[in-house]
């Protein structure tokens, strides 16, 4: 699996490097004993590498059968799996499957299904902990709906958390969606909610770890095949 830095981190990493250089260079000139300068520089390097790690963007390939597959949109842990009513776009009862991303997880987000993007909307909101259930409807968030080749709608919601303050969504209505493509990026700690049709076969449970673009979390059952 190849890893590169995500484009969303380029500006931040350049600016942070400049700030750390401005802070650390005078330490080596003026601060004595020199051990203080060495210690602060080591801390700066560790902090910078942590931020670099946050913006890693691995290239992934789904190895299963993509037909009707639902693939995790994010790295993280399953924190919600329940039947609920989705009232923004679908206006029906669905299966909600939520994955929480910590600051150590990859924060690029993948499309959960193949299809065509039919709806995209950003919502301003609060910045509560993304692990809280009400964060799905009260936090800063972005909603994307994909219509699958079988005609089913899958809603994906990027949710900001207490630390995450910026959601980036690349999807636009009319775009082709592929489970191997990025739908967006969330900067620092957050959550992804999937709203799936009732009858979807679910392959994960609460507490399971997922890998975005790789872990198959479910399989859609076309309406014509449901009993």
């Amino acid at each position: 699996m190849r890893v590169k830095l995500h484009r969303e981190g380029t500006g931040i990493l350049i600016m942070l490097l400049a700030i750390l250089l401005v802070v650390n260079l005078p330490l080596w000139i003026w601060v004595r004993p020199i051990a203080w300068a060495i210690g602060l520089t080591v801390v700066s390097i560790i902090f910078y590498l942590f931020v670099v790690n946050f913006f890693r963007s691995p290239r992934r390939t789904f190895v299963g059968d993509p037909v009707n597959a639902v693939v995790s949109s994010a790295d993280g842990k399953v924190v919600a799996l329940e039947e609920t009513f989705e009232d923004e776009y679908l206006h029906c009862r669905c299966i909600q499957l939520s994955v929480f991303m910590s600051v150590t997880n990859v924060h690029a987000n993948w499309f959960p299904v193949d299809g065509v993007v039919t709806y995209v909307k950003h919502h301003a909101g609060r910045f509560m902990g993304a692990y809280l259930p009400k964060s799905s409807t009260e936090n800063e968030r972005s909603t994307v709906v994909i219509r699958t080749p079988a005609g089913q709608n899958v809603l994906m919601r990027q949710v900001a958390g207490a630390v995450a303050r910026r959601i980036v969504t690349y999807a636009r209505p009319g775009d082709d969606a592929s489970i191997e493509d990025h739908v967006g990026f969330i900067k620092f700690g957050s959550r992804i909610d999937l709203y799936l049709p009732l009858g979807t076969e679910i392959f994960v449970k609460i507490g399971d770890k997922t890998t975005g673009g790789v872990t198959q979390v479910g399989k859609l059952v076309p309406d014509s095949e449901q009993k």
Side-chain angles (χ1 to χ4, degrees), residues 96-179:
Q96 179 183 345
L97 192 161
S98 301
V99 173
F100 175 75
M101 294 172 278
S102 73
V103 293
T104 60
N105 289 128
V106 170
H107 272 61
N109 305 140
W110 283 259
F111 284 105
V113 293
D114 290 341
V116 176
V117 177
T118 59
Y119 174 86
V120 179
K121 187 171 183 179
H122 181 82
H123 303 268
R126 302 169 64 184
F127 295 99
M128 299 181 293
Y131 56 86
L132 296 171
K134 59 183 178 181
S135 67
S136 295
T137 55
E138 296 186 20
N139 275 20
E140 185 94 6
R141 59 201 182 279
S142 185
T143 301
V144 178
V145 177
I146 304 105
R147 189 168 183 81
T148 70
Q152 294 173 296
N153 289 318
V154 171
L155 186 148
M156 169 194 170
R157 183 170 289 141
Q158 298 169 284
V159 183
V163 179
R165 295 297 171 122
R166 187 175 178 216
I167 295 173
V168 182
T169 305
Y170 306 135
R172 295 292 181 267
D175 286 353
D176 289 331
S178 169
I179 55 179

Side-chain angles (χ1 to χ4, degrees), residues 178-217:
S178 169
I179 55 179
E180 294 190 353
D181 291 340
H182 287 171
V183 66
F185 194 95
I186 310 180
K187 297 184 179 180
F188 302 109
S190 40
R191 162 180 176 148
I192 292 290
D193 295 333
L194 299 181
Y195 292 85
L196 308 170
L198 296 180
T200 299
E201 186 178 0
I202 302 298
F203 299 153
V204 293
K205 61 183 183 301
I206 298 291
D208 283 356
K209 299 291 182 65
T210 65
T211 301
V214 173
T215 303
Q216 184 172 355
V217 297

Side-chain angles (χ1 to χ4, degrees), residues 9-38:
T10 303
I12 292 175
L13 291 173
I14 292 174
M15 181 173 62
L16 179 60
L17 179 61
I19 292 172
L20 292 177
L21 287 174
V22 169
V23 170
N24 279 273
L25 286 178
L27 297 178
W28 289 85
I29 300 173
W30 304 108
V31 174
R32 294 294 181 273
I34 196 67
W36 283 98
I38 294 174

